[in-house]
Amino acid sequence: MPETGTPRTVADLALEVRSKNAGPFWVTMELFIRDSTGYDLVAGPGYLSAPVIARLYGVAAETIRIFRIPELNVVKISFPRPVAQGSLRDRDIHAGQHHVPLALYPLPEVF
Amino acid sequence: MTGSYLRNEEPVTHDSVRVLVPSGMLGSGFPPEIIERGLDLGADVIALDGGSTDSGPYYLGTGTAKTTAAAVSRDLRLLLRAAATARIPLIIGSCGTSGTDSGVDWVAAMTREILAEENLGLRVATIYSEQQATDLKKHLDQGRIHPLPPHGDLDLATLESCTHIVAMMGHEPIVEALAAGADVVLAGRATDTALAAALPLMAGLPAGPAWHAAKIVECGAQCTTDPRSSGVFATIDATGFTIEPLDPAVSCTPTSVAAHMLYETADPFSMREPAGTLMVADATYRALDDRRVRVEGSRFEPGPHTNKLEGARITGYETMSFTAIRDPHILGQITTWAQLLRRVTADRVTQTLGLSTDDYAFDIRLYGYNAVLEAIDPGTLPPREVGVMLLVSAADQQTATAIAKIANPLMLHLPTPDMDYLPSLAFPFSPAETERGAAYEFVLNHVVDVDSPTALFRINLLENTDA
């Protein structure tokens, strides 16, 4: 996460981007944005929409829940786990590395 | 709260209840000073979670613990001494990771041994939460079992396929055990929050602050400015709660506390408990000083009483093999190479064992390339080296291992299509195959309507071990 230079991805505006299981059947991720300016950009309508998340994660848009929490400069995203926890195809038991596609998502061209 | 809560006192209303949570999980370790500090602050109860589904279905499937006995016993000894010294209850939930009956018995056996060794006269209650498919069938037949998203309706075959099923208790069985005179409550599967909420609710404090405080403390210091530290302390009263870390070098801030409602929750504003729903959208978080935060405005809406079920079943038997590639020529075509490995392995399994791909499954993971995220990986850099994991699942262990052994010469020598010689790849182990035993999956995500919040649970007050 560069402290200087032009921010290019969501992670560049964030203190932390994380993901984790929310029970065995859901995954949830949070963007902790550094300040309200960055938050306004990331939380803006149409930027991190359900169709965008659906494309990043290969899940159905109608299953995605997005929470915008301006008091904390947080955007939180939850959706059913596409692969059952602990199954043969599950490569991330805690879903703890699934924040990366979101963290590396390019920012809108405003800088 | 003043005076002892033990010894069959009638529940009475108290001004406040102070809850000491030493860490996020029994067996994860905490410094002894954390407990001393919590007792000095006037703790009325020690509450601690003993489990989670977070590490996968294996622990429920087998009824075994993720934590090692030595670590659990070490934590237990410090907690039992503290409970005896301060004459306050100790509540541990989801014993043995998944809260099966075997998990409760495992922690209870350790507890009895420590109480005898330390000559501590504490009364122990165990609460069992394991369920039998035959009993749940009655609820299913009566239409009293409902799915939670994203699941559909439950069928009997799924229930009967589980090796273990547990129901998650709320605070009610724990309160019943305390009211019966227990000093130590060892509960099977319980909501993480029920442990810290039980005594405040028993004392007549409002449910909004009691459940909200319990949610904030359930992962120990996760709600502080340093999640690596240990221990938090919550004081619940008639209008809200106050939270502070037990490590004097660490702080709780309005942000660190409010942010904890996000942790491992699909919905950060409402949380279903067996007795109803905690609503925190209107809660306010205010710094009292540089270490303590005051939370007010949380509400609890009582709802029809339900208990959530968790169940795990065997999906097959797994064998794992692992090799590694450093040759830049193969790495330059790593996805082509992996497709070839997949296809040739499947062909040879058919030729040799006569199995079709319906009879078994395998996963090839390219660690160092895209193993973790695969299709959704945004990265594009060529890898410097790749670990190739082959994970085979079959109906029995021998077949899984036979398939891995058929893949073995390929994992040693498979060339890319444009190579006219056989490379030799880097196995880290001999033998290459590791048998993983039975593999499990979670299959239940359903709730049962119950007439009584204690109906699915068996409370057992053990003999006083007073020496």
Side-chain angles (χ1 to χ4, degrees), chain A residues 53-64:
Chain A
I53 301 302
R55 187 163 48 77
L56 281 180
Y57 285 95
V59 294
E62 62 272 19
T63 63
I64 296 166

Side-chain angles (χ1 to χ4, degrees), chain A residues 20-22 24-26 28 30 32 56-57 65 67 69 72 74 76 78 80 85 88-91 93-94 97 101, chain B residues 53-57 149-151 262-268 361-365 371 374 376 391 442 444-445:
Chain A
K20 197 82 193 281
N21 295 335
F25 302 106
W26 285 75
T28 189
E30 289 101 30
F32 291 88
L56 281 180
Y57 285 95
R65 304 185 67 189
F67 302 91
I69 311 170
L72 298 172
V74 161
K76 178 177 173 74
S78 303
Q85 188 195 14
L88 182 70
R89 310 279 171 204
D90 184 20
R91 282 104 174 275
I93 296 279
H94 298 255
Q97 289 294 298
Chain B
T53 58
D54 205 36
S55 294
H151 278 58
L262 306 168
Y263 190 67
E264 295 179 341
T265 56
D267 181 336
F362 64 84
D363 197 30
I364 293 170
R365 307 172 176 190
E374 210 181 20
I376 61 168
L391 188 59
F442 286 116
L444 301 183
N445 189 33

